[in-house]
Amino acid sequence: MKHLSAVLCAAALALPVVAAGQTASSPPSGTPVQEEVVGTIEDNDAKIAIPAFATNADVPTQTSAGSTGALGLAVSNVIYGDLKNNGLFKPVGPGSLPKPSLGQVQAPDYGTWQSRSADMLLQGYVRAEPGGNITVGCYLYDVSLGQRVASAGWTLPPSDWRRAAHKCADMVYSRLSGENPFFDSRIAFIAETGPKNRRMKQLAVMDSDGANLRYLTTGQTTALTPRFSPDYKQILYLSYFNGQPRIYIYDLATSTQRLLLQSKNPLFAPRWSPDGRWILYSMAIGGNTDVYKMPSSGGAGVKLTDSPGIDIGGSYSPDGSHIVFESDRSGSQQVYVMNSDGTGQKRISFFGGRSATPEWSPRGDQIAFTHIAGNFRIAVMDPSGGNMHYLTDSWQDEAPTWAPNGRVIQFFRTTRGSGKTGIWQVDLTGKNERKLDTPNDGSDPAWGPLRP
Amino acid sequence: MAETAPRLPLSQDEAAALGVALLAHVGLVAALVWYSPAALPPGGEGRMSVTISDESGLAASANSSSNDLPQDSGAQLGEVPPPPEPEPVELAKAELLPKPVPPVTRAVAAPVQRPVTRPPTAGRTATSSVPPKQQQGKQQGKCATAFDRAYGTCGKNSDGSNFAPGGGPKGGGNPNTGKGKDPATGAQKVAWQNSVAARVQGAWQRCPVSGLDLEKLRMVVPFNLDRQGRVISIGEPRVSGQTQSNRTQIAPFRACAEKAIRLGAPYLGLPPEYYDQWNSRELTFSKGRAQ
């Protein structure tokens, strides 16, 4: 009976115990409380309001925009155009926004902008200086935090007023995206006119938004594949005259050019080394094309590839240690990497179809190329050939080149049916394709470095 | 032979014991049937019905009597008498929460790449508690969620339990570290440990960062709050997962993280008497791929 009672007592007491709360310890005083916040990468672009720039006095200027009042509006429109379709922002241009007064430029009325759901606000002013120069000041504000995040100003000759707007867009772009800026730069390309059987191809340069177009050759010879030198001062390009190929280096400061290489063999794809000391080119001898390298000051070429096929192109890695090129030695065009002395050649493209026109990013982390499997599409991969993904999806996109910040890629697109070519840009993430307006057709775009 | 009712081969003791046992069983059944649930469990004032379902919403289903409590938001956590030492619930707290509704799931889906494991025991780290936090971050209305009701300004649950997600980052027992006051309960500690991330989540999600290899980046940002929950200072972050492709994104990532922390302030509902234990904080920020 004694045992029984004990058992019964134990049974009666064994009620289920429900925990009322999470057992969690508090860290001893001084140890930080830790939590985690996870988001997702979405297309949530920052909405930037860009009202017209104000001015202290509406006086005439020597700019192509007119008086300072009109110039203020023009500057904000150039900035709006740069940031639009750039992929990271949703700018609202001056046309649909109230115009702030000069005093508000440095002391914004945040309430107005909050009610318009702006995330960021870009305000500025323009001022005519006594000697004719123009000063542009530029201020970027975070509307929800209610504080200024960046500001800068530039004084430039009146003919360069667009550069001030590009530099302002660069300030916004680099501050918000973390990337190096690129709007204040020039693009070299081949301007094409005329019917298909008598096509005229001239070397031309323009601003990164298509303005200030200037032709460098007359069109009597066909110009192809231009490339800026690393110091921006020269353009390397291929010219055909009476079937004779020649590689020229054009000096932008003196507007003269010198002959680098002339051959009775076909020549292709001249490219600079990152230090500007070497030029890569491809030459076809008896149907066998190989990649060569020669000093940019002139001299004998060194043969780098030697396969019985077409080895062509050639783009240096930014540290100058490797070269990526295209070869059909496997039976179809594919992408290969080798050391800069020609040793260690190995294939890196195994995606099916054909892979052509590779270009190494100036950041070194990606190689852009044209992938051909039915359509021609721009794609990127890492330097070992992995993580390939497409950036475009049209009928015929080819010949990608990189902006100096390694984030935006340029290529040219041929429209199906009409055969018209145009220059396009796309962000490295594949978003935001944007056409560059050229007066006529354009091809072979190459981006120059940022202007100081 | 006389006909008698069949007799079980029991001794007198055994018969008596069986009788007592029978009575005890009857009493237990009676207690379970007749006694109201509110009177039963020790330490808790109200029961909450918990739904395990994919479709249920985020509205709390706490017993409405919890809103009748006279205490106001800040002080009451300290006045609830501590429960007897509870056993850790083998069911993870995270499993008791309703799963997030689809529009919010995108934010929740991100941790697929993370080591999200439903903990079989309490005391796991905070990574497992990430999904429920995000769903609460999306609903910033004042009393929209049980979380806000618990830690916001619209009234509190009786014992501060426990729609707060997941475990405290330091697992383990229940050390007695109050400053000479009643020791903080597990529920109270959860309150101050989980009161910031949900408020930061919305601004963090909206802030744009873009580029390659972004999902590899993780940033731990230390910061301090004053007694009113305002941000005093934000320190240097610790970054991990950087690659050549996402290196340039570290600066805007950091700017977005600091902005999200500032925009979420002031962080209300933290008990002033335990200020020492919750004022120094770290938030780990990351962005995953949308699905």
Side-chain angles (χ1 to χ4, degrees), chain B residues 23-272:
Chain B
L23 281 173
H25 277 81
V26 169
L28 178 64
V29 169
L32 287 172
V33 167
W34 294 114
Y35 281 44
S36 92
L40 265 179
E45 278 282 346
R47 269 266 171 84
M48 294 157 251
S49 68
V50 169
T51 324
I52 302 174
S53 130
D54 283 326
E55 282 80 42
S56 75
L58 294 172
S61 43
N63 194 318
S64 62
S65 66
S66 65
N67 286 331
D68 298 340
L69 299 168
Q71 300 91 335
D72 65 0
S73 58
Q76 76 127 19
L77 281 178
E79 291 168 12
V80 173
E85 188 76 30
E87 297 294 333
V89 178
E90 289 307 308
L91 263 186
K93 271 305 158 190
E95 283 177 349
L96 294 181
L97 291 170
K99 298 233 178 74
V101 295
V104 180
T105 306
R106 280 193 305 164
V108 174
V112 164
Q113 298 171 20
R114 319 202 148 279
V116 173
T117 49
R118 302 288 176 167
T121 58
R124 283 296 186 93
T125 63
T127 48
S128 61
S129 65
V130 162
K133 280 202 188 81
Q134 294 165 4
Q135 79 205 21
Q136 292 164 352
K138 282 278 184 183
Q139 307 207 347
Q140 297 282 348
K142 270 288 170 227
C143 299
T145 64
F147 182 89
D148 280 302
R149 267 197 281 277
Y151 313 121
T153 51
C154 65
K156 306 198 64 69
N157 285 340
S158 57
D159 57 354
S161 72
N162 187 9
F163 285 94
K170 322 274 185 233
N174 230 338
N176 214 340
T177 51
K179 298 185 304 187
K181 297 192 173 271
D182 291 339
T185 62
Q188 295 165 348
K189 286 161 201 152
V190 172
W192 68 62
Q193 284 162 6
N194 295 300
S195 46
V196 169
R199 288 186 170 80
V200 168
Q201 215 278 331
W204 171 241
Q205 177 64 26
R206 279 191 301 275
C207 197
V209 275
S210 147
L212 299 183
D213 284 354
L214 261 187
E215 62 279 3
K216 296 185 180 153
L217 215 47
R218 283 171 71 84
M219 188 174 283
V220 181
V221 182
F223 59 104
N224 286 296
L225 302 176
D226 67 10
R227 282 174 197 274
Q228 284 76 43
R230 293 182 299 235
V231 177
I232 304 176
S233 64
I234 301 182
E236 284 291 312
R238 304 193 299 275
V239 183
S240 60
Q242 54 212 91
T243 68
Q244 199 178 12
S245 295
N246 66 22
R247 212 172 10 100
T248 48
Q249 292 303 310
I250 292 174
F253 204 92
R254 175 180 177 175
C256 276
E258 296 188 2
K259 175 171 170 173
I261 292 173
R262 290 194 192 281
L263 286 180
Y267 298 98
L268 303 174
L270 297 165

Side-chain angles (χ1 to χ4, degrees), chain A residues 158-235:
Chain A
S159 56
D160 280 349
W161 69 267
R162 293 184 76 97
R163 287 193 61 198
H166 291 315
K167 285 192 170 311
C168 187
D170 277 335
M171 179 190 85
V172 174
Y173 177 80
S174 58
R175 185 66 173 71
L176 296 185
S177 74
E179 306 286 356
N180 287 337
F182 65 96
F183 290 115
D184 182 29
S185 56
R186 300 269 277 171
I187 293 174
F189 71 103
I190 300 301
E192 301 192 11
T193 47
K196 268 213 171 117
N197 54 353
R198 283 179 65 84
R199 203 85 167 143
M200 185 156 87
K201 296 193 177 190
Q202 291 171 269
L203 178 63
V205 285
M206 61 182 180
D207 288 354
S208 69
D209 65 348
N212 290 327
L213 176 66
R214 184 175 138 210
Y215 295 100
L216 303 187
T217 65
T218 59
Q220 284 181 320
T221 66
T222 295
L224 299 167
T225 65
R227 287 283 191 272
F228 273 100
S229 62
D231 62 7
Y232 176 64
K233 296 191 174 125
Q234 299 166 312
I235 299 179

Side-chain angles (χ1 to χ4, degrees), chain A residues 119-397:
Chain A
D119 297 310
M120 311 291 292
L121 168 68
L122 181 71
Q123 297 188 142
Y125 68 86
V126 299
R127 192 172 64 221
E129 302 296 340
N133 285 345
I134 301 292
T135 295
V136 175
C138 192
Y139 300 86
L140 179 65
Y141 298 94
D142 186 316
V143 173
S144 45
L145 282 180
Q147 58 188 212
R148 189 163 80 195
V149 297
S151 66
W154 307 272
T155 301
L156 292 164
S159 56
D160 280 349
W161 69 267
R162 293 184 76 97
R163 287 193 61 198
H166 291 315
K167 285 192 170 311
C168 187
D170 277 335
M171 179 190 85
V172 174
Y173 177 80
S174 58
R175 185 66 173 71
L176 296 185
S177 74
E179 306 286 356
N180 287 337
F182 65 96
F183 290 115
D184 182 29
S185 56
R186 300 269 277 171
I187 293 174
F189 71 103
I190 300 301
E192 301 192 11
T193 47
K196 268 213 171 117
N197 54 353
R198 283 179 65 84
R199 203 85 167 143
M200 185 156 87
K201 296 193 177 190
Q202 291 171 269
L203 178 63
V205 285
M206 61 182 180
D207 288 354
S208 69
D209 65 348
N212 290 327
L213 176 66
R214 184 175 138 210
Y215 295 100
L216 303 187
T217 65
T218 59
Q220 284 181 320
T221 66
T222 295
L224 299 167
T225 65
R227 287 283 191 272
F228 273 100
S229 62
D231 62 7
Y232 176 64
K233 296 191 174 125
Q234 299 166 312
I235 299 179
L236 174 75
Y237 75 99
L238 178 67
S239 159
Y240 269 85
F241 180 64
N242 284 343
Q244 277 266 340
R246 292 181 182 148
I247 296 178
Y248 282 100
I249 294 184
Y250 185 100
D251 186 290
L252 286 158
T254 62
S255 298
T256 60
Q257 62 185 19
R258 65 180 166 95
L259 179 66
L260 182 73
L261 177 66
Q262 175 178 311
S263 171
K264 51 188 188 311
N265 299 311
L267 297 172
F268 310 96
R271 305 274 167 83
W272 294 92
S273 68
D275 59 8
R277 292 175 49 223
W278 299 96
I279 303 289
L280 291 178
Y281 64 93
S282 308
M283 182 160 72
I285 300 178
N288 178 19
T289 309
D290 285 306
V291 179
Y292 293 76
K293 124 175 143 176
M294 66 178 285
S296 58
S297 50
V302 171
K303 199 164 174 208
L304 296 178
T305 67
D306 197 14
S307 80
I310 297 178
D311 302 325
I312 196 170
S315 169
Y316 271 96
S317 60
D319 63 2
S321 63
H322 289 81
I323 296 172
V324 65
F325 64 100
E326 172 193 322
S327 171
D328 70 352
R329 62 186 70 173
S330 69
S332 66
Q333 294 160 284
Q334 299 297 338
V335 174
Y336 290 71
V337 171
M338 63 182 172
N339 299 321
S340 55
D341 61 2
T343 60
Q345 299 175 14
K346 64 176 175 43
R347 174 176 163 181
I348 62 170
S349 64
F350 295 94
F351 313 120
R354 293 175 283 147
S355 300
T357 71
E359 282 278 336
W360 214 307
S361 157
R363 284 214 289 236
D365 59 340
Q366 299 274 295
I367 292 174
F369 64 105
T370 307
H371 188 242
I372 305 165
N375 288 345
F376 287 47
R377 295 170 70 177
I378 305 298
V380 289
M381 59 182 164
D382 63 36
S384 56
N387 292 323
M388 185 269 235
H389 61 276
Y390 289 109
L391 301 187
T392 70
D393 192 11
S394 178
W395 176 65
Q396 191 169 332
D397 297 335

